[in-house]
Amino acid sequence: MPTPPTAGSAPRAPRPSRRSVLAAMAAAVPAAGLPVLSGRASAAPAAGALPGGGDLGPNVLVFDPATPNIQGTVDEIFKRQESAQFGEGRFALLFKPGTYRGLNAQIGFYTSIAGLGLSPGDTTFHGDVTVDAGWFNGNATQNFWRSAENLTLHPVNGTNRWAVAQAAPFRRMHIKGGLNLAPDGYGWASGGYIADSRIDGSVAPYSQQQWYTRDSSVGGWNNAVWNMVFSGVEGAPAQSFPDPPYTTLDTTPVSREKPFLYLDGADYKVFLPEKRTNARGTTWGSGTPRGESLPLGQFYVAKPGVDAATLNAALSQGLNLLLTPGIYHLDRPVEVRRPNTVVLGLGYPTLVPDNGATAMKVADVDGVRLAGFLIDAGPVNSATLLEVGPEGASADHAANPTTVQDVFIRIGGAGPGKATTSMVINSNHTLIDHTWVWRADHGDGVGWETNRADYGVRVNGDDVLATGLFVEHFNKYDVEWRGERGRTVFFQNEKAYDAPNQAAIQNGDIKGYAAYKIADGVTAHEGWGLGSYCYYNVDPTIRQDHGFQAPAKPGVKLHHLLVVSLGGKGQYEHVINSIGAPTSGTSTVPSTVVSYP
């Protein structure tokens, strides 16, 4: 068995491009004959009104401890989804409170597994929830778009394996043992995100290049490669960046956990956790979590095939949206205009604007919660894909912010897609809690102009906080921050692999667009644990002036920055502005800046 990297070491070899041609993508297969979750019907709607509540469709599967052949059912879903990276299958596997024995739930693409209790201890597996990388020859860098939530695990061999990359959240989990974040054989890995979880044993990331853990508890943390960030984590290692590269904040400035579906007696409800400030540890460790519940009857339960007009009609009636697994084609934006609206996805439902529309727009109102879905750019260029607040939004939402959680955006990969700016945050005080905004570097419809996408995330609002910001491969700026008093805890980026030459990324007299640019007029901003990598494999001679660009002002402070050249495919001249040593050679060793200024 290969020896895993030690703390602070580089991976065993330069990470390969993700532009591999992946064969045998699984096609979507109806889930006929599998158990289906139904909610109690709400009161009959008024004439012409859309009903709330109801059946959740064939791709939401519910189990209780007496369900026959649970292992066979989850194995069948995994068989369909294991290598279906750009397939159309979407599944949610939901487990009623109780104890399940001898179960190994392997989780593939577009599959969510979750307990239906109010706390993780309500649903207990004497078994595992596993992600490995056998489908990709032990390389876990493409284990995207899957999740685990709200379960207690007693791993069979004492350690659960969760070898994931981006867009694979691990929330509200209690592991009665250890957690291994690397694939079998310690191959390449590029994740990841944990929140509101307790791991009694040690977490072993081994070859994971970066990771962010928030408001959790761990029994230990055994390794670091480039960038490991913790906020509000009991048992986290002491801050020591850059050697080993641990960034540790005692608390998270503001957090509000993701909404989730649960079972209250015979009734399905959605729990809305309350906002916390300076949070540390889990929300559930001291008993019932704090927040409020909404009955399923207050949600329009959307099925694939429903159009944007129907979704908007439901929202206009005052219903929230529960998006069941599948793909939704939109000819106009979904318009969220009412304060405190919840849009919650199960099994990563995917919104596709077909005619250049914006997929979703949120008004400048309090307390909207967006969670658990994917937006996939369509073949006609969209000016934006997600807008939180209109241009010029100015309301104060400090007491009740909008949250964007496990909302992922993709341009290309499943087919040609284009978008000028993917995510625009105009509303003040918005919380972005775990997003992966990705211009595809592999799959179908990929090329410098084929899936053109100039900007990833643009923040215009003030007092916006991002916890777990993953943004990659955009033609120009990956993140452009224009609002005041913004904060980011953990940032992961790769510059676009496929730039054809130096001229294609020239930014005036600057070589390349920064991965994370703070606008010149900003006077206050702060960030912790920020990394940018380059892999210019089309033209390895490309030089990037810096990964980060920021104004030289007393209120602009960045902590623990790094840039990395992957295998010498392109190089950085500096880390931030003209500060920091250049990268060089093929050794894949980071250049770091501990503090800016």
Side-chain angles (χ1 to χ4, degrees):
M1 177 181 292
T3 301
T6 58
S9 68
R12 294 183 295 113
R15 175 180 166 187
S17 166
R18 291 193 190 131
R19 295 173 59 96
S20 306
V21 177
L22 304 178
M25 295 302 180
V29 182
L34 298 177
V36 177
L37 172 62
S38 297
R40 280 190 172 178
S42 60
L50 294 165
D55 184 87
L56 298 189
N59 285 6
V60 176
L61 286 71
V62 63
F63 306 91
D64 63 42
T67 301
N69 194 26
I70 297 174
Q71 187 68 61
T73 300
V74 298
D75 285 351
E76 175 61 25
I77 298 301
F78 179 66
K79 180 179 177 182
R80 300 178 194 185
Q81 300 302 116
E82 179 183 12
S83 59
Q85 182 173 177
F86 299 113
E88 296 185 353
R90 305 284 188 274
F91 293 93
L93 312 178
L94 306 181
F95 288 78
K96 291 183 179 181
T99 300
Y100 300 77
R101 299 186 182 277
L103 181 63
N104 180 21
Q106 299 185 79
I107 305 300
F109 285 100
Y110 313 109
T111 305
S112 297
I113 187 169
L116 285 169
L118 192 56
S119 294
D122 296 337
T123 307
T124 298
F125 285 10
H126 288 268
D128 297 77
V129 173
T130 301
V131 176
D132 206 345
W135 74 279
F136 201 43
N137 300 314
N139 178 349
T141 61
Q142 293 182 19
N143 282 348
F144 313 138
W145 304 306
R146 63 198 75 197
S147 64
E149 186 172 351
N150 208 23
L151 297 165
T152 291
L153 306 182
H154 295 259
V156 170
N157 294 319
T159 300
N160 190 78
R161 186 186 303 276
W162 186 255
V164 298
Q166 291 81 3
F170 198 77
R171 292 182 179 270
R172 295 176 58 77
M173 297 289 287
H174 187 182
I175 310 301
K176 299 272 195 172
L179 185 64
N180 183 350
L181 302 178
D184 186 29
Y186 306 104
W188 291 292
S190 181
Y193 176 91
I194 293 171
D196 201 23
S197 294
R198 177 177 176 180
I199 294 90
D200 291 348
S202 289
V203 179
Y206 295 118
S207 54
Q208 283 286 355
Q209 294 160 354
Q210 67 277 319
W211 199 276
Y212 174 51
T213 306
R214 178 182 63 72
D215 299 351
S216 294
S217 173
V218 298
W221 193 277
N222 289 345
N223 189 66
V225 175
W226 293 335
N227 191 29
M228 298 287 165
V229 180
F230 309 83
S231 67
V233 178
E234 298 167 347
Q239 184 163 293
S240 56
F241 186 92
D243 185 24
Y246 293 133
T247 296
T248 302
L249 283 69
D250 286 344
T251 61
T252 303
V254 183
S255 59
R256 189 172 69 188
E257 299 303 332
K258 173 182 169 290
F260 60 92
L261 189 71
Y262 76 103
L263 195 60
D264 181 10
D267 296 321
Y268 287 92
K269 296 182 177 179
V270 171
F271 190 77
L272 308 178
E274 71 174 12
K275 188 188 77 167
R276 298 198 291 171
T277 56
N278 297 318
R280 182 173 174 84
T282 68
T283 63
W284 47 268
S286 300
T288 302
R290 296 174 63 89
E292 61 177 318
S293 294
L294 299 178
L296 192 62
Q298 292 184 17
F299 287 78
Y300 175 69
V301 179
K303 309 286 175 49
V306 70
D307 61 12
T310 303
L311 297 174
N312 286 331
L315 291 167
S316 296
Q317 279 180 217
L319 292 171
N320 303 288
L321 296 182
L322 189 68
L323 304 175
T324 64
I327 297 176
Y328 297 74
H329 288 270
L330 307 174
D331 64 349
R332 69 195 74 176
V334 176
E335 300 268 7
V336 181
R337 298 175 178 171
R338 179 174 51 85
N340 302 310
T341 299
V342 180
V343 181
L344 176 61
L346 301 177
Y348 293 105
T350 302
L351 309 181
V352 183
D354 290 324
N355 60 354
T358 297
M360 185 174 291
K361 294 184 177 182
V362 180
D364 193 25
V365 295
D366 274 357
V368 172
R369 305 186 195 223
L370 310 179
F373 56 89
L374 174 66
I375 298 175
D376 206 350
V380 178
N381 185 73
S382 295
T384 59
L385 293 172
L386 173 65
E387 294 181 17
V388 177
E391 186 176 352
S394 59
D396 186 316
H397 305 293
N400 188 13
T402 285
T403 48
V404 182
Q405 299 179 285
D406 303 346
V407 174
F408 307 125
I409 294 179
R410 177 173 69 195
I411 302 95
K418 294 184 178 182
T420 303
T421 306
S422 291
M423 181 186 293
V424 180
I425 307 296
N426 291 317
S427 286
N428 298 330
H429 303 100
T430 300
L431 301 180
I432 308 169
D433 178 44
H434 189 230
T435 189
W436 185 41
V437 182
W438 183 62
R439 175 181 169 265
D441 60 288
H442 64 273
D444 293 332
V446 171
W448 185 248
E449 297 295 342
T450 304
N451 63 328
R452 182 83 192 187
D454 283 352
Y455 308 105
V457 175
R458 178 174 288 157
V459 179
N460 297 318
D462 294 338
D463 301 289
V464 172
L465 171 64
T467 52
L469 186 61
F470 301 73
V471 189
E472 299 189 286
H473 306 148
F474 285 84
N475 296 76
K476 293 185 178 180
Y477 294 122
D478 298 277
V479 172
E480 188 177 14
W481 209 295
R482 299 173 174 177
E484 288 288 355
R485 297 176 301 280
R487 291 175 291 181
T488 295
V489 184
F490 180 89
F491 170 68
Q492 185 266 328
N493 164 264
E494 286 179 344
K495 295 303 298 174
Y497 291 174
D498 56 344
N501 49 52
Q502 187 75 49
I505 63 165
Q506 193 68 21
N507 181 16
D509 59 357
I510 298 173
K511 295 192 289 288
Y513 288 79
Y516 190 105
K517 175 181 168 61
I518 303 166
D520 293 344
V522 170
T523 61
H525 188 96
E526 194 160 12
W528 299 263
L530 315 176
S532 177
Y533 322 145
C534 73
Y535 186 84
Y536 287 119
N537 63 331
V538 174
D539 182 0
T541 69
I542 288 176
R543 310 291 294 190
Q544 177 90 19
D545 263 348
H546 43 236
F548 303 89
Q549 185 177 350
K553 297 180 180 177
V556 176
K557 302 174 183 179
L558 299 174
H559 316 277
H560 304 174
L561 307 165
L562 69 145
V563 296
V564 182
S565 169
L566 302 179
K569 305 292 187 182
Q571 301 289 347
Y572 293 90
E573 303 282 4
H574 304 284
V575 179
I576 179 168
N577 299 347
S578 58
I579 300 168
T583 57
S584 63
T586 62
S587 58
T588 314
V589 174
S591 292
T592 63
V593 167
V594 174
S595 184
Y596 171 87

